[in-house]
Amino acid sequence: MTSALEQAGGDAAAMVSEGDVGCVLVRSQRRAAAVGGRCEGPTQARRLAEHAEQTTAALLLGGAARDEQPARYAAVTGCGTQSVHRAARLAAERSGGHWRGAPSAADEHRLVDTPSMDRDPAEIIKEIVGHMPRADSLEISAEAHTAVENRLFVPAHGSPVRETLHTGAAVVDVLHAGVRVAEADLAWSGRALPNLGKLAERVEQALHRARAPHRPVPAQIQMLLLDGSAGAFLHEVCGHLLESTRQRPSLLAEHEARHVAHHCLSVDDDPRHPAGFGTHQYTMLGTPARRRALLTDGRLTGLLKDTSDGPWRAENARHRPQPRMSHLTLAPAPNFEPLDEAIGDARVPVVHVHRLGFGSLDHRDGTVVLEVKDATLHEGSRGHRLQPFLVTAEARQVLRDIRAVGCAASVQTWSAYCLATSGSLPVGASVPSLLTGPMATLPHRPLAPPRTAVPTSRSR
């Protein structure tokens, strides 16, 4: 193994000319999914699918015309040294260069081991459903998947490094007479499952809100984002807005060091966050992942760029890596007073948002559309449930119109799979509550693709 590893590192280093940046990434992934539930009887769960793949990919940046030339990417099946040769040669040819490796020295010695699954998703479903509320009129439906991946990064300049990633996710639906009345999800990184009791608490709270009387959605609202829903909000209006490439620069690319958001917003992207969904130690170029300041007191202090030290990510070898966010952190206010004052100053209805669904950002003009799935409007001591609806605005204006953020006591985590051209990637956020400025509402229409336990790719 040592000699093969050294040979692979030498071949990868030779795939680009001196001064270029590149990496060969060898991956072996295994994923399993299950479905199950409970309806007036014991919990039922069955394995839905299991998939394993081994791939090798090469990513190059730069070249003689670095400013004009995009990254070059090539991937092949297999995880041996011969696969390293094929991927490196293809990437070099696509960049207009010449690969200098010696194919006669290559063989199919495996460079990463096939991982074994730590947890059966069917057993996870049984554990989750066992924590859910019991009532003869309620049906519990759940989907879960787990994934484990061994990676070997072989940078063109530097020593090879290894990393093993464990992720999992579950979605729970509660139905009454065949109609969904509550839902919750759970995602984790690492071997240990998170607190399943917290998931059951969220379902109970959602059921309580579902029993409240309904009322129409106002035409204009301010959203008070609670229960971690500010994570999904910031992911769309801030994270995607600040992803910037030469082919598709951010709309704020020329505004670094300027104030582009309300002074209460300080946002970082932290791929190594200890509680973050999809956290990782290395980028797709084999460089150490690092925390990046994006907004500091409303001032733009960083972008997620396609540079040699950028946050390159991709779901698998079928997807070309792109600079993508990982885990957003929003700094809380020192106390609760600014948020309370901002709520008191509101001139349009303040809607309590507990859960956002699918969202999208149009990178051409900054238009953002968000699906609000679980929200209430309070009048005095009485709360009214709102049917799902959409909100839309221009993302740059949304950031400037933010009114306040909550204190540390309101910080919660959010996690999801983000669907984009580089694949379905696990992302997360740690955020306090957040109050937006006025936003227009639209009637609800489906924005998301059909949900499955194994995430599917869809371009934004």
Side-chain angles (χ1 to χ4, degrees):
M1 175 66 76
T2 301
S3 61
L5 180 58
E6 291 174 349
Q7 179 65 49
D11 293 342
M15 75 180 180
V16 292
S17 60
E18 186 176 354
D20 291 340
V21 178
C23 181
V24 168
L25 172 59
V26 187
R27 310 171 73 165
S28 183
Q29 182 189 66
R30 176 166 288 178
R31 182 187 298 268
V35 296
R38 185 187 70 226
C39 180
E40 300 180 358
T43 300
Q44 302 292 325
R46 62 182 177 85
R47 181 72 71 89
L48 184 67
E50 183 168 351
H51 175 69
E53 64 177 357
Q54 297 173 341
T55 56
T56 299
L59 174 65
L60 278 65
L61 299 182
R66 181 183 178 110
D67 292 337
E68 295 81 21
Q69 188 178 25
R72 300 299 181 183
Y73 179 72
V76 299
T77 301
C79 63
T81 49
Q82 181 65 48
S83 300
V84 171
H85 280 263
R86 292 198 302 269
R89 176 178 55 81
L90 286 172
E93 290 174 351
R94 290 175 182 177
S95 68
H98 176 66
W99 180 69
R100 300 194 302 268
S104 60
D107 57 42
E108 278 305 314
H109 189 91
R110 183 177 296 176
L111 295 173
V112 291
D113 294 327
T114 302
S116 58
M117 301 299 300
D118 289 333
R119 298 294 302 268
D120 184 339
E123 294 302 318
I124 293 174
I125 285 178
K126 292 180 181 179
E127 290 184 50
I128 290 175
V129 175
H131 283 77
M132 293 297 110
R134 288 188 172 273
D136 292 339
S137 61
L138 296 179
E139 177 185 352
I140 306 295
S141 176
E143 303 172 357
H145 79 262
T146 57
V148 58
E149 181 177 18
N150 289 328
R151 296 179 175 180
L152 169 65
F153 301 92
V154 191
H157 306 288
S159 301
V161 290
R162 295 181 181 274
E163 182 176 21
T164 298
L165 300 179
H166 298 260
T167 55
V171 180
V172 177
D173 291 325
V174 183
L175 300 96
H176 176 70
V179 177
R180 184 188 299 118
V181 293
E183 63 179 278
D185 54 45
L186 185 69
W188 62 93
S189 292
R191 286 184 167 89
L193 279 177
N195 188 337
L196 299 182
K198 293 289 185 182
L199 180 65
E201 288 179 15
R202 292 202 296 271
V203 169
E204 290 277 16
Q205 293 165 358
L207 285 171
H208 177 74
R209 293 191 295 272
R211 299 184 184 106
H214 289 70
R215 61 155 295 170
V217 179
Q220 194 175 45
I221 63 172
Q222 286 181 243
M223 295 194 297
L224 178 59
L225 296 152
L226 306 169
D227 302 331
S229 62
F233 176 85
L234 283 176
H235 176 88
E236 296 295 343
V237 304
C238 181
H240 279 304
L241 184 65
L242 299 183
E243 291 173 338
S244 187
T245 67
R246 287 184 288 269
Q247 290 70 45
R248 194 188 66 190
S250 166
L251 292 173
L252 294 176
E254 304 300 324
H255 293 73
E256 290 199 61
R258 300 181 189 175
H259 280 87
V260 298
H262 191 280
H263 64 80
C264 69
L265 291 183
S266 291
V267 180
D268 292 355
D269 183 58
D270 185 6
R272 304 177 72 148
H273 192 282
F277 182 47
T279 55
H280 50 278
Q281 301 298 310
Y282 298 96
T283 74
M284 290 290 143
L285 284 176
T287 58
R290 61 180 176 85
R291 188 180 183 115
R292 299 168 191 272
L294 303 179
L295 299 176
T296 304
D297 299 329
R299 183 167 49 87
L300 181 61
T301 49
L303 294 169
L304 301 167
K305 296 182 179 180
D306 58 346
T307 55
S308 60
D309 63 344
W312 295 89
R313 300 186 70 193
E315 177 186 359
N316 52 42
R318 292 185 295 276
H319 297 90
R320 178 172 170 162
Q322 296 285 339
R324 300 280 299 277
M325 75 193 98
S326 298
H327 189 94
L328 298 179
T329 61
L330 173 61
N335 54 60
F336 59 85
E337 293 176 359
L339 182 59
D340 284 353
E341 291 176 0
I343 293 173
D345 292 340
R347 296 294 180 264
V348 299
V350 174
V351 170
H352 292 203
V353 176
H354 303 277
R355 183 178 175 86
L356 292 177
F358 198 71
S360 66
L361 175 76
D362 190 327
H363 290 271
R364 296 168 297 181
D365 60 10
T367 299
V368 64
V369 181
L370 297 170
E371 179 187 25
V372 181
K373 300 182 72 173
D374 185 351
T376 53
L377 180 61
H378 291 260
E379 295 176 342
S381 60
R382 190 170 188 182
H384 296 268
R385 175 74 179 262
L386 302 180
Q387 293 288 355
F389 60 94
L390 305 180
V391 293
T392 183
E394 201 279 320
R396 292 167 292 181
Q397 189 63 46
V398 170
L399 291 177
R400 291 190 291 267
D401 285 348
I402 295 296
R403 295 296 192 258
V405 300
C407 60
S410 67
V411 172
Q412 294 198 33
T413 59
W414 164 84
S415 56
Y417 280 94
C418 178
L419 312 179
T421 54
S422 53
S424 178
L425 289 173
V427 294
S430 297
V431 290
S433 51
L434 183 149
L435 180 67
T436 73
M439 300 183 72
T441 66
L442 298 171
H444 183 260
R445 57 183 172 83
L447 290 177
R451 187 177 61 203
T452 60
V454 179
T456 57
S457 301
R458 173 178 171 177
S459 297
R460 246 178 222 287

